[in-house]
Amino acid sequence: MASKLQAFWNHPAGPKTIHFWAPTFKWGISIANIADFAKPPEKISYPQQIAVACTGVVWSRYSMVITPKNWNLFSVNVAMAGTGLYQLSRKIRKDYFPDDEKEAAAAASLEG
């Protein structure tokens, strides 16, 4: 166990480097985005979520082509891409595919 901990500590992307701490703190963006799942879709910003999703996609790819591979960077960016795409899907569904039940109820109240 001690040798694995020492290997982690001395890794080129380990806790003694910025290559560890930058992605670790970047988790805050994904966690905040997950917390925003509870917010109504009207409050979602297209530019913000496009930036989060694109950042996640681009840096996920980058983290796999650099040496040494930085799995912390990869995982946080996959999370960013996933949460950004999910938030965008919520906003698009709200803006372009309104709930059919709500439309039917609104039409019925106008007719009745």
Side-chain angles (χ1 to χ4, degrees):
M1 180 67 174
S3 65
K4 287 191 179 199
L5 186 58
Q6 188 172 7
F8 169 69
W9 183 256
N10 292 320
H11 190 273
K16 294 194 293 186
T17 69
I18 189 67
H19 307 294
F20 174 82
W21 291 107
T24 299
F25 283 106
K26 197 173 183 179
W27 275 104
I29 297 169
S30 293
I31 292 166
N33 225 11
I34 290 168
D36 286 348
F37 289 175
K39 287 186 177 177
E42 298 84 27
K43 297 200 178 246
I44 295 172
S45 162
Y46 279 115
Q48 178 185 11
Q49 295 307 321
I50 289 169
V52 169
C54 289
T55 297
V57 169
V58 168
W59 287 98
S60 292
R61 172 66 181 132
Y62 173 77
S63 69
M64 291 291 98
V65 298
I66 59 173
T67 303
K69 292 202 180 341
N70 190 333
W71 294 103
N72 190 17
L73 182 63
F74 176 74
S75 62
V76 72
N77 283 297
V78 167
M80 284 185 67
T83 59
L85 291 170
Y86 176 69
Q87 292 286 56
L88 284 171
S89 74
R90 290 181 60 219
K91 180 73 169 167
I92 290 167
R93 281 183 298 193
K94 172 68 177 161
D95 290 350
Y96 298 103
F97 303 101
D99 202 6
D100 291 333
E101 291 177 20
K102 288 181 183 175
E103 280 185 2
S109 69
L110 291 175
E111 292 174 6

